[in-house]
Every structure is written in structure tokens, then in C-alpha cells.
Amino acid sequence: MKYLILTNINDLVRVPSDRIAYITSDGNYSTLVLVNRQEHLFTINLGTFERTIEKQLRKEAGVFIRLGKSLIINSEYIHQIHIPKQQLILYDNHFLNKFVLSASREALKALENMLEDRLHTQLRIDE
């Protein structure tokens, strides 16, 4: 199991990467949300967060997908993409509740296309 280690002025946080549900950003602040709904606030922007994930998790970083300017999601937990409502639902049977996130139609459509492409690629490999 890979861990993501993040530091802030006062804290060092070490979390298993598979327990990260999503990361949201507001300017230079990013909030890491775990599947148990625990939140950790960091004074880094989402681009820096994205590079940190890639550097520390390497090939496992591929499960994290950036959606627009303010969201990184763990694609392992995608349950539903609802483009008309501009909603993305993250869920796993270990979650107490679903995460209902907002995203633009364009970002959700791009995510849907990416997942379909991955599925088609996997089907070709399995043949």
C-alpha cells in the first residue's frame, strides 16, 4: 500500500492513498477528504497537490484524476456521473454515505469519455 505524505506549517499527514476520496481547492488552499469524511487543509494549490501525488505515488497516481480547476478525485470510487445535474457521485460499499460533488458539464463529459476509453482499452487487452 502506498502512502501520501503531506506537510503543512504545523502538521505532517501520512495517509494511505486508497483512503483518499477527493481533493478540492479554493485558490492556494486545498482540502484532502478521506473516505471516512475526515478533512485536512493544506496551504498549497491544486497543481502542487497534483505534482506531489505524481511524485510520491508514481504509477499508482493514475487513479487520481483532475477535474477542472478545483477538484482531484480518486477514480476507484466513481459511482455515477450525472451530466445534466452537473454531479459526480463517489461511493464504495465501505463508505457510510455517498460523496456528491459538483463539476462542470464539460469536465464531467471529459471524465466520461476518459473512462469509456479506458474500458475499451482494457477490453482489447483482455481479448
Side-chain angles (χ1 to χ4, degrees), residues 6 11 25-26 33 44-45 49 51 54 59 61 67 71 80 83-84 87-88 91-92 110 113 119-120 123:
L6 300 155
D11 297 315
S25 154
D26 184 12
V33 181
I44 58 174
N45 63 34
F49 221 116
R51 288 186 295 278
E54 291 169 358
K59 66 179 181 176
L67 269 182
L71 188 62
Q80 182 179 10
I83 295 171
Q87 288 182 338
L88 172 66
Y91 183 72
D92 182 80
N113 291 337
L119 176 63
H120 293 308
L123 290 174

Side-chain angles (χ1 to χ4, degrees), residues 2-6 13-15 20 49 52-53 56-57:
K2 287 271 191 171
Y3 287 85
L4 189 62
I5 299 170
L6 300 155
V13 178
R14 179 179 175 258
V15 296
I20 300 169
F49 221 116
T52 301
I53 289 170
Q56 290 186 23
L57 300 181

Side-chain angles (χ1 to χ4, degrees), residues 6-109:
L6 300 155
T7 58
N8 223 348
I9 294 171
N10 298 318
D11 297 315
L12 181 139
V13 178
R14 179 179 175 258
V15 296
S17 61
D18 67 340
R19 304 314 297 158
I20 300 169
Y22 67 94
I23 301 127
T24 187
S25 154
D26 184 12
N28 287 327
Y29 294 91
S30 296
T31 304
L32 172 77
V33 181
L34 304 178
V35 297
N36 65 1
R37 298 199 176 274
Q38 184 178 12
E39 295 184 2
H40 298 280
L41 180 67
F42 297 94
T43 54
I44 58 174
N45 63 34
L46 204 61
T48 301
F49 221 116
E50 190 173 28
R51 288 186 295 278
T52 301
I53 289 170
E54 291 169 358
K55 183 179 178 183
Q56 290 186 23
L57 300 181
R58 301 178 192 245
K59 66 179 181 176
E60 286 86 355
V63 302
F64 293 95
I65 299 171
R66 180 151 181 185
L67 269 182
K69 296 178 183 178
S70 62
L71 188 62
I72 296 174
I73 61 163
N74 184 333
S75 65
E76 296 291 314
Y77 298 129
I78 295 172
H79 178 70
Q80 182 179 10
I81 299 170
H82 198 287
I83 295 171
K85 288 185 180 179
Q86 293 180 266
Q87 288 182 338
L88 172 66
I89 298 173
L90 304 180
Y91 183 72
D92 182 80
N93 60 359
H94 300 299
F95 291 12
L96 295 175
N97 297 298
K98 296 175 183 175
F99 292 97
V100 180
L101 307 174
S102 296
S104 71
R105 284 184 171 83
E106 296 79 19
L108 292 174
K109 188 63 181 166

